[in-house]
Amino acid sequence: MRAIELHRDAGAYALGVLGTVDTCRFEEHLAGCSACVVQVREFGPVVAHLAAYAHLLPPGGVPRPAGRP
C-alpha cells in the first residue's frame, strides 16, 4: 500500500471498516503521521452521529421514503 492510500484510509479506519491487514498497516502509518491522527480524531463526531442514526433505522436498515408507512 502506498503512502497516499494510507492517508485516504483515515475515514475507513475511524469507522472500523478496514480489514485486519489494512488496519495494522494504517496503525503503523498513524504512529508517524500527525495529519492522519488529526483526521481520525475529526471523524469521531461523524462516527458517533452515524451510530446514533443507525439505531433509528427500521430492521433491515433501509429508511422508508417520506409519506409512506
Side-chain angles (χ1 to χ4, degrees), residues 11-65:
Y13 176 80
L15 289 169
V17 297
L18 291 177
T20 304
V21 172
D22 288 333
T23 296
C24 290
R25 287 180 183 160
F26 186 77
E27 287 175 347
E28 288 175 4
H29 169 77
L30 196 60
C33 183
S34 59
C36 283
V37 169
V38 170
Q39 282 187 334
V40 170
R41 285 184 185 151
E42 288 176 346
F43 270 105
V46 173
V47 173
H49 283 120
L50 289 173
Y53 177 73
H55 289 293
L56 299 175
L57 293 174
V62 179
R64 295 187 182 115

